[in-house]
Amino acid sequence: MNEFVETLLDLPWHEPKDSYDVVIIGGGGHGLATAYYLATRHGITDVAVVEASYIGSGNTGRNTTIIRANYGIAESVRFYQHSLELYRSLEEETGCWIMHSTKGLLWLAHTESGLRAERARSLLNQACGAETVMVTPEEAKRICPQLDLSGGGRYPVLGASYHPGAATARHDRVVWAYAQGAMRRGVDILQHTPVTGLLRDGGRVVGVQTEGGPITAGIVMSAVGGRVTTIAAMADVRLPIRTHPLQALVTNAYAQGLGPIVSDSELLCYVSQTARGQMLMGAEFDSQPSYSMASSFEFLQSVATKVTSILPFLRDLRVLRQWTGICDISPDYSPIMGATGVEGLLVTTGWGTWGFKAIPAGGEAMAELIATSQTPSLIASFGLDRFARDHAMADQGSAGTR
Amino acid sequence: MLWIICPTCGERPIPEFRFGGELPHVPDRITDDAERNLDWVWMHDNVDGVTTERWFHAAGCRRWLTLRRDTSTDRVVA
């Protein structure tokens, strides 16, 4: 089998029922993973995933597929390391090939302060179970021979942290693997079913309103990406979320040769090579919040300038495609998972530009929370109430953005 | 590209500006003082539509301005 062989998915579609134990809004990675783990880990299959478009059509289908755990606060390192390990065994568990490929990640630093931040991150990562080591410029060049250590004469590389466990996987296949696993066990996925309101009984959320009629539920969970504020507002829940566009691009295909994922903590850009050979690159999100998915020339210009300074061979490639997703960015750049203060409504949001790598651990933890009504210790620090308790989990440096 | 009309400098491209956030708007239904403060500090309307916000003309006159922008199209409306 090679990675371009497609096999027909086994997706049993059913007519929607008018009542479920659990209704999950949003058929992206997080929503489908939660449904999958509810079915497989907890035997809860009376579940519907309600998706406004088709599954994976939102941010999951638009992201840049990087899986890593080199975060800057202990709670996040543990959470993402667990996710990285779940990804590693996901093919075996689901029987679906998600094209998982461990590549390692170089995170370049160009200043003394950048180097110091990387060193602090490596020490914390090692203490919390994620392998990250500091490497000299020469060692970085051995790991990635295409690097220009002078950074085009403008951004000399002083060192880097190397995170060997980092990987990539095919994003659509991750969606399909979870959808198939969940549907085979009886979960209903309702595509092209936008949620227009939340059913409320007193202070409690008891279901969702759709164009096809109301669906009642014991628990409603929002796994919506950029439009999460709209869903929360239907239950008068206020979220500290701003929706920013995030752009990415791919070049034409090129012989396989770029080994690791190359990321830059100070230029704020990253490059990896897809299985098809395309160079996939991204940078920071647009500074102003917006729901517009228009691509911009400024992004193209800025990301091209940055990546060609550290990887000059990219100058010879052509841009094939550029696109935009809309991200739910939290004020402390950490996710928000769990209770909303409104009974019957749970939320998993704040996934910003770092949601793909968290899909397995996020889904598993939310499934456990739904099944047991107990918040798993892995995500206890990521509740919405942390802002009221003045325990924000500030970790902007690890988001690779600003 | 998003263009912004600066009252002092005229129509200028967005890379000259720094985004300063939407104007805080605490819903009237929140009456408790502590909750109002919490909302004012952290929460956002984050509307998909017209919003009122602050921008700083960092690479121009270095003044703050208030404008209305449609976030569904990323265009300034007033």
Side-chain angles (χ1 to χ4, degrees):
Chain A
M1 189 160 67
N2 73 50
E3 56 258 44
F4 303 108
V5 173
E6 298 283 353
T7 50
L8 205 57
L9 291 167
D10 174 19
L11 303 175
W13 300 97
H14 297 120
E15 282 301 303
K17 298 189 285 181
D18 49 18
S19 176
Y20 291 91
D21 287 345
V22 182
V23 167
I24 296 167
I25 311 171
H30 282 275
L32 293 167
T34 305
Y36 172 84
Y37 289 117
L38 274 172
T40 55
R41 304 275 203 269
H42 305 282
I44 298 174
T45 56
D46 190 24
V47 177
V49 179
V50 187
E51 164 59 42
S53 181
Y54 58 91
I55 53 171
S57 59
N59 288 341
T60 313
R62 294 166 176 275
N63 82 91
T64 49
T65 73
I66 290 166
I67 300 161
R68 61 180 174 88
N70 56 337
Y71 274 70
I73 51 177
E75 293 85 348
S76 291
V77 178
R78 286 190 207 106
F79 175 80
Y80 288 102
Q81 179 63 24
H82 180 57
S83 209
L84 191 142
E85 283 155 16
L86 285 176
Y87 258 125
R88 228 176 246 153
S89 57
L90 194 60
E91 291 180 349
E92 201 181 337
E93 182 180 332
T94 59
C96 292
W97 202 15
I98 59 163
M99 296 164 68
H100 183 274
S101 158
T102 301
K103 293 182 166 175
L105 179 141
L106 269 178
W107 195 290
L108 306 178
H110 303 277
T111 61
E112 284 297 338
S113 63
L115 215 48
R116 199 170 297 140
E118 285 319 304
R119 194 172 296 281
R121 196 202 310 270
S122 324
L123 292 173
L124 179 77
N125 286 184
Q126 281 159 7
C128 299
E131 193 188 353
T132 306
V133 291
M134 291 303 290
V135 295
T136 63
E138 292 69 33
E139 285 165 332
K141 178 100 180 162
R142 264 200 298 281
I143 296 167
C144 180
Q146 295 95 335
L147 270 185
D148 176 1
L149 291 179
S150 79
R154 290 173 71 190
Y155 306 108
V157 176
L158 292 194
S161 65
Y162 183 57
H163 179 49
T168 57
R170 175 107 164 83
H171 47 359
D172 292 325
R173 283 178 183 249
V174 172
V175 166
W176 300 333
Y178 279 123
Q180 177 180 275
M183 289 172 92
R184 272 181 178 172
R185 289 167 178 86
V187 170
D188 282 358
I189 294 176
L190 316 177
Q191 299 193 106
H192 305 289
T193 310
V195 167
T196 54
L198 292 174
L199 305 179
R200 300 176 73 179
D201 181 9
R204 198 187 152 84
V205 169
V206 294
V208 298
Q209 184 69 46
T210 70
E211 278 162 19
I215 302 172
T216 59
I219 289 277
V220 175
M221 183 186 102
S222 162
V224 174
R227 290 181 192 278
V228 65
T229 310
T230 318
I231 297 291
M234 293 170 182
D236 291 335
V237 171
R238 301 269 291 164
L239 292 176
I241 294 290
R242 288 205 293 219
T243 299
H244 289 263
L246 177 71
Q247 305 188 44
L249 63 89
V250 286
T251 66
N252 57 335
Y254 191 73
Q256 290 291 340
L258 184 68
I261 303 155
V262 179
S263 185
D264 199 302
S265 64
E266 289 167 76
L267 295 179
L268 300 173
C269 60
Y270 55 92
V271 185
S272 69
Q273 189 167 21
T274 69
R276 215 179 281 172
Q278 301 168 335
M279 299 293 168
L280 174 54
M281 56 194 79
E284 25 179 352
F285 54 75
D286 296 4
S287 75
Q288 75 279 14
S290 170
Y291 290 84
S292 161
M293 291 207 200
S295 297
S296 72
F297 179 71
E298 299 92 80
F299 168 80
L300 181 59
Q301 189 185 37
S302 108
V303 76
T305 308
K306 291 168 174 180
V307 297
T308 53
S309 346
I310 49 174
L311 294 166
F313 79 99
L314 292 171
R315 282 182 198 141
D316 299 332
L317 305 186
R318 289 170 194 281
V319 174
L320 193 68
R321 192 166 70 251
Q322 181 185 351
W323 69 93
T324 306
I326 51 169
C327 302
D328 35 338
I329 308 280
S330 61
D332 54 5
Y333 294 76
S334 287
I336 298 169
M337 285 178 272
T340 56
V342 170
E343 221 184 315
L345 181 68
L346 299 176
V347 72
T348 175
T349 184
W351 289 114
T353 67
W354 47 89
F356 180 73
K357 55 186 74 58
I359 285 173
E364 191 189 53
M366 290 309 291
E368 188 180 333
L369 172 57
I370 293 169
T372 65
S373 307
Q374 302 290 317
T375 305
S377 59
L378 195 63
I379 63 162
S381 317
F382 296 114
L384 178 58
D385 61 346
R386 69 177 183 263
F387 300 102
R389 290 187 290 110
D390 200 17
H391 277 105
M393 312 285 286
D395 197 15
Q396 186 174 9
S398 308
T401 187
R402 76 165 137 237
Chain B
M1 187 193 295
L2 178 61
W3 291 75
I4 291 176
I5 299 173
C6 170
T8 5
C9 313
E11 193 172 18
R12 306 297 305 168
I14 199 173
E16 292 190 2
F17 293 83
R18 204 170 73 216
F19 177 68
E22 69 176 37
L23 294 185
H25 163 252
V26 183
D28 292 338
R29 65 181 156 77
I30 303 177
T31 48
D32 180 71
D33 270 354
E35 277 180 46
R36 286 190 73 83
N37 281 334
L38 179 71
D39 193 282
W40 197 89
V41 171
W42 291 109
M43 306 304 170
H44 301 293
D45 286 346
N46 194 34
V47 291
D48 182 3
V50 177
T51 173
T52 307
E53 56 197 19
R54 299 281 281 165
W55 287 80
F56 179 62
H57 198 177
C61 59
R62 300 193 64 78
R63 289 186 193 184
W64 284 94
L65 58 137
T66 303
L67 55 80
R68 285 166 67 70
R69 186 172 59 95
D70 187 341
T71 59
S72 62
T73 55
D74 208 1
R75 289 282 180 275
V76 176
V77 291

